[in-house]
Amino acid sequence: MPDGMAVIGLMAGMAGRREPHALATVVETVGSTSAHAGDKALIDAAGGLVAGWVGGGCAEGTIRQTALDCLADGAPRLIGLDLDDEVLGVGMPCGGSMRVFVDPVIPPPTLWILGHGRVAESLSRLGAELGFRVGVSDTPRPESARYPVAAEIIGDDYDFARLQPAREDSVVIATQHKGDH
């Protein structure tokens, strides 16, 4: 079972790959519970438990479903789990209860800017101000100083093969009629 720092390291990797995920943290326990305050679990966008521990059985299932709900609407949740009642609680007669905070981590969409010049530079700054991750595709050799807020700069990609926008991303073509295809 990985410790909290290992879970944080795995989260950093998922964030770097722009994979949505949720972090569940046990914030309070009362009575008999299998998890303890501070225990964490990392849940992927499919509801799978990547790492960590927040209790077994039905408690885990409830938390995984809550993570999916959080990822769907982007809102964190604090949930209470009754582990004392097999019928009205989460289906486990452990004799306790716990509260778990579930926080979604949803990468921002990317604003892809194809081209160069003042328009591309201004769009780069504006996109970052609006909360986009900014990617620039400029040929042949983009100057990173012109795009200080860009998370990714692509050069020498004349057929845009390295441009891989996701469904939620936006693309602005500012190529000055060079490579507008």
Side-chain angles (χ1 to χ4, degrees):
M1 181 170 14
D3 65 5
M5 290 307 294
V7 169
I8 301 300
L10 290 168
M11 284 181 67
M14 291 178 85
R17 293 185 301 275
R18 304 190 68 227
E19 297 173 13
H21 56 280
L23 178 65
T25 305
V26 177
V27 294
E28 179 183 51
T29 62
V30 175
S32 177
T33 63
S34 58
H36 302 92
D39 286 349
K40 297 177 182 354
L42 180 59
I43 301 153
D44 65 21
L49 182 66
V50 175
W53 173 261
V54 286
C58 298
E60 180 183 303
T62 300
I63 293 165
R64 289 169 56 185
Q65 182 57 54
T66 300
L68 289 174
D69 295 343
C70 290
L71 289 168
D73 66 16
R77 288 172 175 72
L78 179 63
I79 60 170
L81 300 171
D82 180 358
L83 305 174
D84 196 30
D85 190 328
E86 233 178 313
V87 177
L88 300 176
V90 293
M92 298 171 56
C94 296
S97 64
M98 63 182 184
R99 294 187 334 151
V100 179
F101 182 70
V102 183
D103 195 12
V105 179
I106 302 170
T110 298
L111 173 63
W112 290 100
I113 302 165
L114 285 59
H116 59 275
R118 294 285 182 226
V119 170
E121 293 167 19
S122 297
L123 282 173
S124 174
R125 288 189 301 277
L126 181 60
E129 286 290 323
L130 292 173
F132 285 92
R133 175 185 178 272
V134 175
V136 176
S137 180
D138 185 5
T139 55
R141 290 179 197 87
E143 297 175 34
S144 59
R146 292 183 178 271
Y147 310 103
V149 297
E152 184 173 355
I153 300 175
I154 300 172
D156 292 329
D157 187 29
Y158 295 100
D159 62 356
F160 301 106
R162 291 177 31 208
L163 178 68
Q164 300 292 322
R167 192 176 78 218
E168 65 276 0
D169 292 349
S170 298
V171 178
V172 175
I173 300 172
T175 57
Q176 300 174 9
H177 305 294
K178 297 175 187 170
D180 282 356
H181 71 279

